[in-house]
């Protein structure tokens, strides 16, 4: 049976995915609301950028800590605590932004709290899928979940801007608090039993081998489990480094294209259109990827799709007109969601069972940090040396990230 039919037939998954989507909607709202709200309240775009940057940094820093807690404490309890802290922080932010004239220090502290208390609903959604669906359907399930996240990140800025214009940024914060409260509550109510199941290294999830659970005898499996980090640390480290590197190029391309408009003395509007088309391409790519049953191993798919995406970036080097650039970015976008779903599927198979949530969190943190750093690095390189050098550097890093991932994949194939 096709993986999509397997997923559709599993009725217990539907409410889990719905409430997970509701709980994660604020991911596309809060950071934009910080940018708009602080700028509107203080009149300082620099402070707004600083506050938003602090929130992003704290998100990346806190995710592995939350993952560590999730691996060592009952998962529903940790998700509940982080969700409660997130709701409280967002309500305080709503009040502060609505009142206006807040001290910069207070805004920075609240932004840090907002970024650091985001509950790991995404990782727990993947864990629920892992525990509910057969392993042959996981790649498709992860792709659908990544597509839903992409929808959130595409729609979020538009909804935030609309809310800011029609009402006030405080409404976005208060609404986000309600979404976290209701969505997380619904998610835990529908997925709670699966989250309470222990991640036993000898019984659940296999040993991380790429072709599914190992069929070794119990004695050999127990011997391997005695030192899982020693056996598996390096593949995870290599792959997390590759995730961070692979997240850099698109941000660098964005900054380089902005620099290209400066060099050509044209409007920045075509860059916005091109990036919107890239986002649309990512949605299409995610849906197409989920609809096809792939036979190649995940690591082979990852390398092949990464090479194709990097090859398309090479075609930007002649710096054609923006119509051609838009078409190329649409093609580049087709690979974004499939590569994201493959990233976390491969992390799932590399993770020691007792460090599963922490490993997933490191992957998410690496992607977040890489995306933010890519825009800054691209701006610095393209601003200093020109848009061509910025695009060249982005393309080079894309190929380097593939090379960095290869040792992790060799370790997977060895088991």
């Amino acid at each position: 049976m096709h993986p999509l039919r397997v997923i559709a037939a599993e009725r217990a998954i539907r409410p889990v995915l719905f409430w997970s989507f509701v709980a994660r909607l604020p991911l596309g709202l809060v950071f934009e609301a910080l940018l708009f709200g602080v700028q509107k309240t203080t009149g300082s775009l620099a402070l707004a950028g600083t506050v938003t940057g602090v929130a992003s940094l704290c998100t990346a820093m806190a995710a592995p800590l939350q993952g560590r807690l999730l691996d060592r404490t009952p998962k529903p309890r940790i998700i509940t605590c982080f969700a409660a802290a997130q709701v409280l922080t967002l309500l305080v932010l709503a009040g502060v932004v609505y009142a206006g004239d807040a001290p910069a220090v207070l805004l920075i502290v609240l932004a840090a709290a907002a970024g650091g208390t985001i509950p790991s609903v995404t990782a727990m959604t993947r864990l629920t899928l892992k525990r509910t669906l057969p392993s042959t359907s996981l790649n498709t399930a992860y792709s659908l979940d990544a597509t839903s996240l992409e929808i959130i990140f595409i729609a979020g800025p538009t909804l935030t801007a609309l809310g800011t214009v029609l009402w006030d940024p405080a409404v976005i914060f208060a609404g986000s608090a309600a979404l976290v409260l209701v969505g997380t509550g619904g998610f835990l109510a529908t997925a709670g039993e699966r989250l309470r199941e222990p991640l036993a290294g000898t019984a659940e999830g296999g040993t991380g081998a790429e072709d599914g659970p190992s069929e070794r005898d119990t004695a050999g499996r127990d011997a391997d489990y005695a030192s899982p980090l020693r056996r598996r640390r390096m593949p995870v480290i290599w792959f997390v480094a590759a995730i961070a590197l692979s997240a850099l190029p698109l941000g660098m391309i964005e900054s380089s294209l902005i620099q290209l408009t400066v060099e050509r003395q044209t409007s920045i509007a075509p860059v916005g259109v091109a990036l919107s088309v890239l986002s649309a391409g990512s949605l299409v790519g995610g849906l197409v990827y989920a609809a096809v049953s792939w036979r190649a191993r995940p690591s082979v798919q990852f390398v092949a799709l990464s090479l194709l995406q990097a090859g398309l970036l090479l075609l930007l080097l002649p710096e054609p007109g923006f119509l051609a650039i838009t078409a190329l970015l649409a093609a580049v976008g087709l690979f974004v969601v499939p590569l994201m779903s493959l990233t976390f599927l491969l992390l799932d198979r590399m993770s020691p069972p007792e460090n599963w949530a922490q490993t997933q969190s490191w992957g998410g943190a690496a992607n977040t940090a890489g995306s933010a750093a890519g825009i800054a690095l691209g701006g610095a390189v393209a601003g200093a040396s020109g848009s061509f050098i910025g695009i060249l550097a982005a393309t080079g890093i894309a190929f380097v990230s593939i090379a960095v991932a290869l040792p992790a994949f060799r370790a997977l194939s060895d088991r």
Side-chain angles (χ1 to χ4, degrees):
M1 187 182 293
H2 191 281
L4 276 178
R5 293 185 177 180
V6 174
I7 296 168
E10 187 60 60
R11 294 186 178 182
I13 283 295
R14 299 173 193 174
V16 172
L17 293 178
F18 171 77
W19 289 116
S20 171
F21 183 83
V22 173
R24 291 181 290 174
L25 265 176
L27 293 175
L29 302 173
V30 170
F31 293 98
E32 297 295 330
L34 280 171
L35 185 64
F36 296 153
V38 173
Q39 194 280 329
K40 184 175 181 179
T41 301
T42 66
S44 172
L45 184 58
L47 178 59
T50 300
V51 166
T52 307
V54 167
S56 299
L57 178 63
C58 288
T59 299
M61 292 176 62
L65 172 61
Q66 186 177 171
R68 187 176 181 86
L69 291 172
L70 287 165
D71 285 326
R72 287 157 176 75
T73 311
K75 294 171 177 58
R77 183 187 305 170
I78 298 301
I79 295 297
T80 300
C81 290
F82 272 81
Q86 175 82 169
V87 169
L88 179 61
T89 301
L90 293 176
L91 289 175
V92 172
L93 261 172
V96 168
V97 169
Y98 184 76
D101 297 326
V105 173
L106 176 60
L107 292 171
I108 291 173
V109 169
L110 288 173
T117 58
I118 297 172
S120 291
V121 175
T122 296
M124 293 302 97
T125 300
R126 295 191 194 108
L127 182 59
T128 304
L129 294 171
K130 172 184 172 70
R131 288 173 164 173
T132 306
L133 299 170
S135 59
T136 52
S137 300
L138 270 188
N139 199 4
T140 298
Y142 281 12
S143 181
L144 291 174
D145 185 59
T147 302
S148 70
L149 266 178
E150 192 70 12
I151 292 172
I152 288 171
F153 288 124
I154 291 172
T158 302
L159 293 174
T160 304
L162 186 63
T164 301
V165 171
L166 296 179
W167 301 292
D168 189 272
V171 175
I172 304 299
F173 289 123
S176 296
L179 288 170
V180 172
L181 180 63
V182 174
T184 306
F187 174 74
L188 291 176
T190 53
E193 289 304 318
R194 295 176 184 82
L195 298 181
R196 291 185 183 94
E197 298 170 10
L199 265 174
T202 59
E204 192 223 50
T207 62
E210 187 164 351
D211 290 322
S214 170
E215 296 180 356
R216 300 173 188 173
D217 60 273
T218 302
R221 186 168 52 198
D222 290 343
D224 285 339
Y225 184 66
S227 55
L229 282 181
R230 178 167 55 83
R231 292 187 300 111
R232 300 177 187 173
R233 182 185 293 120
M234 288 312 299
V236 172
I237 290 174
W238 278 110
F239 196 49
V240 168
I243 293 169
L245 287 171
S246 66
L248 289 170
L250 290 184
M252 296 179 68
I253 292 295
E254 178 179 347
S255 297
S256 299
L257 291 180
I258 293 173
Q259 176 62 27
L260 181 60
T261 65
V262 174
E263 295 167 1
R264 292 179 175 177
Q265 297 182 338
T266 59
S267 168
I268 199 174
V271 177
V273 172
L275 294 176
S276 297
V277 171
L278 185 149
S279 297
S282 69
L283 290 180
V284 173
L287 293 173
V288 170
Y289 183 75
V292 176
S293 184
W294 302 93
R295 295 185 178 182
R297 302 170 83 177
S299 58
V300 174
Q301 294 179 47
F302 184 91
V303 172
L305 295 181
S306 296
L307 286 171
L308 286 171
Q309 188 181 57
L312 287 169
L313 293 181
L314 276 174
L315 299 179
L316 291 171
L317 285 173
E319 296 183 339
F322 271 102
L323 185 60
I325 288 174
T326 300
L328 284 171
L329 288 186
V332 168
L334 294 173
F335 301 96
V336 171
V337 168
L339 284 171
M340 184 61 63
S341 64
L342 283 167
T343 292
F344 289 100
L345 179 67
L346 287 163
L347 271 179
D348 171 72
R349 296 185 176 189
M350 293 177 191
S351 304
E354 72 280 17
N355 293 105
W356 188 91
Q358 189 176 7
T359 304
Q360 291 280 316
S361 297
W362 273 114
N367 184 67
T368 300
S371 298
I375 295 175
L377 180 60
V381 173
S385 305
S387 58
F388 174 82
I389 299 299
I391 295 172
L392 180 64
T395 305
I397 290 173
F399 283 106
V400 169
S401 70
I402 300 169
V404 170
L406 293 179
F409 300 154
R410 282 199 295 269
L412 269 180
S413 63
D414 287 343
R415 289 198 293 274

